[in-house]
Amino acid sequence: MRNLKKALAGAAVAVMAAALCSGAQAAEAKREIAGTLADGSEISSITLKADNGISATVLSYGATLQRLLAPDSQGNIADVILGYDKLSDYVEHPNYFGVTVGRYANRIAGGRFTLDGKTFQLPLNDDRNSLHGGDRGFDKVAWQVVSVKSGPTASVVLSHISPDGDSGYPGKVDATVTYTLDEAGNLGIAFEAKTDKPTVINMTNHAIFDMGGEGSSNGAMGQMLTIPASTFTPVNANLIPTGELRPVAGTVFDFRQSRRVADGLRDGTDRQIVFGRGYDHNFALDKGVTAKPELAARLEDPASGRVLEVLTTEPGVQFYSGNFLDGTLVGKKGHLYRMGDGIALEPQKFPDAPNHPDFVSARVDPGKPYRHVMIYRLSTSR
């Protein structure tokens, strides 16, 4: 098993190095102790740092992206993702900030799906649905640190074994998450998983972004968003896709040309906005499934000049406008998080795909590993 994990780790780093445009300078990886869980599990904090001012801090709890620091057009550094300063808050007040979600990101209707004639029941942790793998998904476990490396591309590899029947899912799953950072401003995240039985897997990162800097007075609502998708998957009142691929043209879901996040956010004449309490919808990317990461979304803060590009090999991206941030969570530096203080752009398979044969399949079989590569590319517009 140890040799297998080392092989997976080496393969993942090689994949990411090829996918990213690495610079000539070295990036540093540093590991520290973040704390200990109630069961005695020691949690590590790993920081990947480049000379251009970009750095990423990863917690082994939940394989979580805790911090992402980026310079603005004047060279001022700010953390651009919402979250917590302390490990204990991620444990005691979970809200998916920057975590790895799985086994299945997003919602499964009724927490139920059928595979090869057998029906599986998952925990219901989102009213009538199962969300992000249930009440004890990949975001709420201690991942093992496989390797930490400095170099032209700094990296950390984490692994987790999910046993057969974990949260109702079939098959033992051996999962790895590899974070890489290069000097070009690319933070890569590679998700890989193997199973010993047919199952469904859909992993992604759930970072919530404010490119003006976490806790900024204006939040993310005035930032400019582009999503290259001609269709999206409309939902019912329980936020489950209807199965339709609906054109975005002529609707508030058309982000093919850059426009403000806030535009359309409170358009109560659109039933989809009412159902989501804002945007909480999957966009079907025009590119579909790709061998290498391609553009899924672009977010720009006009005030600071910071730009985020999200690239992925997956066919969809969930745009969530922070609708359930209600001022009850105190985040980094004592900031009170409210709706609109940040947005999530989560590359993934479509929500509830196991119950929609026409959607891209989330099925994973023995001998055919799951793989999703995504990139957060940071830059400035001026």
Side-chain angles (χ1 to χ4, degrees):
M1 182 62 69
R2 181 175 298 177
N3 290 337
L4 173 61
K5 287 182 179 179
K6 287 183 177 178
L8 281 171
V13 172
V15 166
M16 294 306 299
L20 304 178
C21 301
S22 299
Q25 295 174 296
E28 178 187 6
K30 183 179 180 181
R31 179 179 180 179
E32 299 177 321
I33 303 302
T36 304
L37 301 182
D39 65 1
S41 300
E42 186 177 86
I43 301 300
S44 292
S45 170
I46 302 95
T47 297
L48 311 179
K49 186 176 182 181
D51 287 340
N52 59 7
I54 295 173
S55 71
T57 298
V58 176
L59 295 176
S60 58
Y61 181 75
T64 298
L65 180 60
Q66 183 185 21
R67 293 187 183 87
L68 184 58
L69 306 185
D72 66 8
S73 58
Q74 304 300 314
N76 301 306
I77 305 293
D79 189 351
V80 297
I81 59 174
L82 278 60
Y84 299 118
D85 291 318
K86 298 184 297 182
L87 168 65
S88 59
D89 285 328
Y90 285 94
V91 177
E92 297 167 10
H93 307 290
N95 202 67
Y96 301 114
F97 292 131
V99 300
T100 292
V101 287
R103 292 187 187 186
Y104 200 94
N106 220 309
R107 295 173 175 88
I108 293 181
R112 188 181 300 109
F113 66 93
T114 300
L115 196 62
D116 295 336
K118 183 176 181 180
T119 298
F120 298 90
Q121 181 64 55
L122 315 174
L124 302 183
N125 62 326
D126 180 57
D127 193 14
R128 304 176 185 178
N129 309 315
S130 183
L131 175 67
H132 296 328
D135 48 13
R136 186 172 167 78
F138 285 178
D139 60 301
K140 297 180 181 68
V141 298
W143 290 62
Q144 298 299 311
V145 179
V146 177
S147 70
V148 177
K149 295 181 180 179
S150 299
T153 300
S155 67
V156 55
V157 182
L158 305 110
S159 68
H160 172 61
I161 296 177
S162 175
D164 184 19
D166 189 13
S167 293
Y169 288 91
K172 174 188 173 185
V173 168
D174 192 334
T176 63
V177 178
T178 302
Y179 286 88
T180 57
L181 179 66
D182 70 9
E183 287 293 337
N186 298 297
L187 177 67
I189 312 177
F191 306 93
E192 296 175 295
K194 302 197 314 178
T195 182
D196 63 356
K197 294 180 182 179
T199 191
V200 295
I201 300 175
N202 183 32
M203 297 171 64
T204 193
N205 184 271
H206 199 288
I208 299 181
F209 291 92
D210 175 4
M211 297 309 292
E214 173 275 333
S216 71
S217 58
N218 295 322
M221 293 301 93
Q223 294 169 22
M224 305 297 290
L225 177 64
T226 308
I227 301 177
S230 300
T231 59
F232 75 107
T233 53
V235 296
N236 61 25
N238 294 317
L239 299 181
I240 295 297
T242 63
E244 176 188 1
L245 290 178
R246 182 177 296 177
V248 300
T251 76
V252 296
F253 291 85
D254 193 347
F255 286 92
R256 291 174 296 176
Q257 299 296 321
S258 177
R259 64 184 180 86
R260 291 195 322 148
V261 169
D263 294 346
L265 184 65
R266 292 177 173 81
D267 185 356
T269 65
D270 191 311
R271 293 296 291 169
Q272 288 299 305
I273 294 295
V274 174
F275 289 157
R277 294 167 57 173
Y279 292 104
D280 194 1
H281 295 77
N282 169 70
F283 288 72
L285 298 168
D286 292 344
K287 73 176 189 62
V289 177
T290 48
K292 294 182 179 181
E294 295 184 15
L295 187 68
R298 183 183 188 275
L299 183 65
E300 178 182 347
D301 176 38
S304 69
R306 291 191 189 90
V307 175
L308 169 73
E309 292 176 299
V310 182
L311 296 85
T312 181
T313 54
E314 293 291 70
V317 61
Q318 184 84 4
F319 168 31
Y320 167 59
S321 52
N323 315 330
F324 296 94
L325 297 175
D326 58 4
T328 60
L329 293 175
V330 180
K332 296 172 181 175
K333 300 180 181 178
H335 294 147
L336 200 66
Y337 292 144
R338 305 157 301 170
M339 178 183 178
D341 282 350
I343 69 169
L345 297 163
E346 309 159 58
Q348 56 191 268
K349 297 288 195 303
F350 296 174
D352 201 34
N355 293 312
H356 293 276
D358 291 339
F359 286 176
V360 175
S361 176
R363 179 184 178 124
V364 179
D365 289 302
K368 298 180 180 179
Y370 168 87
R371 175 178 174 271
H372 170 205
V373 179
M374 58 180 286
I375 299 171
Y376 292 140
R377 177 171 292 163
L378 297 162
S379 62
T380 57
S381 58
R382 57 182 187 275

